[in-house]
Amino acid sequence: TSSPQPKPVQVKLVLLGEAAVGKSSLVLRFVNNEFHENKEPTIGAAFLTQKCRLEDKIIKFEIWDTAGQERFASLAPMYYRNAQAAVVAYDITKQVSCPFLHALSKTPQKHPFKPKHYIALVGNKLDLESERTVPTEEAQAYATEQGLLFTEASAKTGEYVMEVFTEIAKKIPLEQ
Ligand code: GDP
């Protein structure tokens, strides 16, 4: 007989990062295991849910993806209100100029994520290794310094996309 399934722990997760780094594609890969080469840009905000099953718990992510939030300051508060986790994405072939990252490092007291919250930095488009401009070590060092989780992934091939969400899920306590 199988043991009863644990009750899912609901976690709001927001996607952050510059336009076209592949935020929507990462979500689409995680939720539907799909990839669209010429994806239409997200209009407004999209909301999707997906469960992550670990040995001892089930985390149900409520994923908020939005367009037009290149500048962190312009993010609607409703977007990140009560968010417990975030995926901050960048494109490994583009210089990272995400003002969100800048804001995160310069004014940690102002960003909405409290220390107990879980933020993963994700270098997307790992399939474009030959066009890489952001060295892994540089991003990893930045993530370590900021206390962020770090993964490089490809929404296109699916490589390491699951890991992004699993690593966050592992950190979420059973009782909140
Ligand atoms: P968003 O604006 O950050 O949500 O980015 P999108 O998910 O809309 O993706 C922007 C463009 O990059 C689209 O043409 C995608 O097909 C492409 N893209 C997204 N992820 C990858 C990836 O991992 N590898 C490659 N080669 N292209 C990707």
Side-chain angles (χ1 to χ4, degrees), residues 16-21 69-73 88-105 121-122 133-134 138-139 142:
L16 300 168
E18 298 275 310
V21 299
Q69 45 91 27
E70 289 71 44
R71 288 189 307 113
F72 179 61
V88 182
Y90 67 93
D91 178 339
I92 67 157
T93 73
K94 300 259 155 62
Q95 211 49 52
V96 185
S97 63
C98 181
F100 171 76
L101 286 183
H102 190 71
L104 197 62
S105 64
L121 181 65
V122 179
T133 61
V134 183
E138 213 169 88
Y142 176 81

Side-chain angles (χ1 to χ4, degrees), residues 25 39 104 131 149:
S25 298
K39 225 194 61 48
L104 197 62
E131 296 167 43
L149 297 166

